[in-house]
Amino acid sequence: MPQRTKPPAVARQQTRATGDGLTWVEPLPVLINPLSGNRLRLSFPASAPHPDMERLSVEEIRPLLAAFESFRPRARPRLRLMMESPGATDSGQERTAPWELRLREDFLSRYGPALLPVPESLETSRLAFALKLSTRYMDEGIREAAQELFSAPAFLASVSLSVLVYFAAWLAPEPLFSKAFAAALTVRLSLLVGLVELGRLAMACLRLYQEAEAAITPQELEAAAERFGKALGGTALRVLVVVASLGVPQVIPKVPKGGLWTLLSPLRHAPAGGPALESLATVQVVADGSLLVTGVAAGTSAASLCGELATCATMHGGGSSSGGGPKLSTRYGKPHTRQNPPHNEAIEQELARREAAGHTSLRKNKAQMDADGEPIYDPASAAGVRFRKPDVSSIRPDGVRHNTNYVSNPQQMQRELDAFDDMVRLDRAAIHDLYKLDGSLVRRYVPPGVNFP
């Protein structure tokens, strides 16, 4: 039977105002599944960007700009656009400045070798020129800060290296980060802003590079810069600043304490460092939207990996009624079970996706309902169950009922398949599906004449 992975969707998050005028957003749980060989699988829910991270002021980045200025003092801009045909070689007039050579060495020593060709001069490259142009098209809430940042030659060169070295790794179908620093950073950023947001930024950077290199006319380069500028939100710009800045270790000590990580502080539920993250060997971005982490120190807990403010749920040894386990989401109803937090979180996330898609009658672990909204009694159930209870049930905007169950334990697969068959038998006018917790589809029934995307 073909497997189908559910596409990521935006989940609803609870918010409240804080005394300092910021908006606090309840983080959605990260599911952590311990595997053999000191490995972890981290599954990230897709969520809307934090409202306070979608803006970036000049005041927030001034300490960082000052640190970059000390690395390479601001000089008269030397950027110039040379529209040679693709593949043409440099004339040799542009030489790599000593400060840029030092920056490259630092960057490559932390992130690993460049995966895309590095131009003779980053400062005068097409990519750097396109980055500068892109600030014209950024949102008003970040435009001024971006223009200040991208006018600093050392910072602009560092961003260019970020694209050529770190974000270039995302070109692979399932990107693999084998350099310890890059692996740890990928986990940190995924915990802070989400894997989906990080992946979108990487793809936007790579598209800008490809289109800038392929541009024949200034108009084509401008169009590429416009697409990038409009695609870059405040959260993505903050991540870009962090990735670029961490590649220049001389800059970091000159930034006030916490300066870099405070750029991501509204969502900060991951540590800036620590033994758990520093021990990582590799990180792979899996096609199902999760991270496969290897080289994790034995005995590492979810709390030590995610930080004290994280909402992480472990796949084994979940919470108990004593309150010592991970916090369970109850936005759509009481916990499905406290002994299996990932199952509960999968239900909550699916209900959030459906609410965002306009579904009504959102129900969590409630009796299966018929077209009249009445519980469906099952007199023929071989297991003696009177009412089937889908993990998730809702009504689509077109009026079609949709029921979903999840399989947590593969050893109970047959029981779940029998329950699926019973639910289909009881209501053949509804959509029914059965998923594993990793998002892979086990079985689906769609009524004749009903469209399913």
Side-chain angles (χ1 to χ4, degrees):
M1 180 174 297
Q3 300 289 306
R4 182 175 181 268
T5 301
K6 292 185 292 185
V10 175
R12 184 172 69 100
Q13 295 173 280
Q14 292 181 333
T15 63
R16 70 167 182 259
T18 62
D20 55 9
L22 299 178
T23 303
W24 182 85
V25 178
E26 178 185 357
L28 294 172
V30 174
L31 305 184
I32 298 184
N33 181 13
L35 305 174
S36 60
N38 291 333
R39 297 180 301 153
L40 295 176
R41 181 184 294 274
L42 279 62
S43 299
F44 298 84
S47 59
H50 191 292
D52 294 322
M53 291 181 68
E54 285 303 286
R55 301 182 299 274
L56 183 63
S57 67
V58 175
E59 288 72 22
E60 289 181 84
I61 51 92
R62 273 178 179 159
L64 185 64
L65 280 174
F68 269 100
E69 288 297 326
S70 66
F71 182 81
R72 195 288 193 189
R74 188 185 295 259
R76 184 176 180 181
R78 298 193 304 121
L79 286 172
R80 60 190 178 90
L81 178 61
M82 298 180 64
M83 301 306 299
E84 307 97 337
S85 59
T89 58
D90 196 292
S91 63
Q93 295 178 351
E94 292 296 334
R95 301 297 180 187
T96 308
W99 67 267
E100 187 179 309
L101 288 173
R102 189 168 69 255
L103 186 147
R104 292 189 193 198
E105 182 180 350
D106 291 340
F107 213 96
L108 299 180
S109 68
R110 305 202 84 184
Y111 283 98
L115 301 177
L116 293 172
V118 180
E120 183 72 21
S121 171
L122 289 167
E123 192 177 6
T124 58
S125 67
R126 293 187 180 192
L127 177 58
F129 194 77
L131 285 166
K132 283 183 68 72
L133 289 175
S134 71
T135 61
R136 304 176 184 176
Y137 305 100
M138 292 182 186
D139 185 81
E140 190 174 310
I142 63 173
R143 187 183 305 133
E144 186 179 359
Q147 289 172 339
E148 288 285 327
L149 286 166
F150 289 7
S151 294
F155 180 81
L156 188 61
S158 188
V159 172
S160 300
L161 282 172
S162 300
V163 176
L164 302 173
V165 178
Y166 175 71
F167 291 116
W170 291 77
L171 274 173
E174 291 191 336
L176 175 67
F177 300 92
S178 56
K179 186 79 171 179
F181 177 79
L185 180 63
T186 302
V187 174
R188 292 189 190 112
L189 293 175
S190 298
L191 286 167
L192 287 166
V193 302
L195 187 58
V196 171
E197 184 77 20
L198 186 56
R200 285 175 179 166
L201 171 59
M203 292 302 106
C205 289
L206 289 170
R207 181 181 182 184
L208 177 66
Y209 167 79
Q210 292 166 341
E211 292 182 345
E213 288 299 301
I216 301 298
T217 66
Q219 291 77 16
E220 290 177 346
L221 193 70
E222 182 91 28
E226 180 178 359
R227 280 187 287 272
F228 179 77
K230 290 181 177 179
L232 200 71
T235 300
L237 177 59
R238 289 169 181 266
V239 172
L240 193 61
V241 170
V242 170
V243 174
S245 303
L246 287 175
V248 190
Q250 297 101 315
V251 168
I252 306 306
K254 300 175 184 178
V255 179
K257 184 178 180 181
L260 267 185
W261 292 106
T262 55
L263 289 175
L264 302 172
S265 59
L267 280 182
R268 188 170 185 188
H269 52 277
L277 286 178
E278 291 174 357
S279 67
L280 303 184
T282 67
V283 169
Q284 185 172 13
V285 183
V286 187
D288 64 7
S290 61
L291 286 182
L292 186 62
V293 181
T294 66
V296 181
T300 297
S301 66
S304 63
L305 180 67
C306 299
E308 61 180 10
L309 299 181
T311 52
C312 289
T314 55
M315 296 287 281
H316 303 295
S320 64
S321 58
S322 65
K327 179 182 177 182
L328 298 176
S329 300
T330 56
R331 188 176 301 121
Y332 297 96
K334 64 181 182 180
H336 179 270
T337 172
R338 291 190 177 276
Q339 283 67 48
N340 191 350
H343 198 125
N344 180 77
E345 302 310 318
I347 293 172
E348 288 274 330
Q349 292 164 27
E350 178 61 24
L351 284 165
R353 284 190 283 264
R354 295 192 187 183
E355 184 176 30
H359 287 222
T360 57
S361 298
L362 302 166
R363 294 164 59 82
K364 177 182 179 181
N365 195 32
K366 300 292 185 181
Q368 185 178 355
M369 308 294 283
D370 61 18
D372 296 323
E374 297 295 330
I376 302 177
Y377 174 69
D378 184 10
S381 172
V385 179
R386 297 183 62 195
F387 298 97
R388 288 293 174 185
K389 294 184 177 181
D391 288 334
V392 175
S393 59
S394 64
I395 299 177
R396 302 195 316 182
D398 61 1
V400 177
R401 295 179 298 285
H402 189 176
N403 300 313
T404 297
N405 274 329
Y406 292 93
V407 182
S408 297
N409 186 350
Q411 297 179 350
Q412 298 176 348
M413 180 65 75
Q414 189 57 54
R415 187 188 73 176
E416 295 294 341
L417 289 171
D418 292 341
F420 175 87
D421 291 339
D422 286 341
M423 291 174 61
V424 173
R425 172 175 52 82
L426 293 170
D427 188 1
R428 294 189 175 276
I431 298 170
H432 303 276
D433 41 34
L434 179 65
Y435 284 98
K436 296 179 182 179
L437 283 187
D438 64 4
S440 57
L441 180 67
V442 178
R443 186 170 294 180
R444 170 173 291 141
Y445 168 82
V446 179
V450 172
N451 292 325
F452 194 90

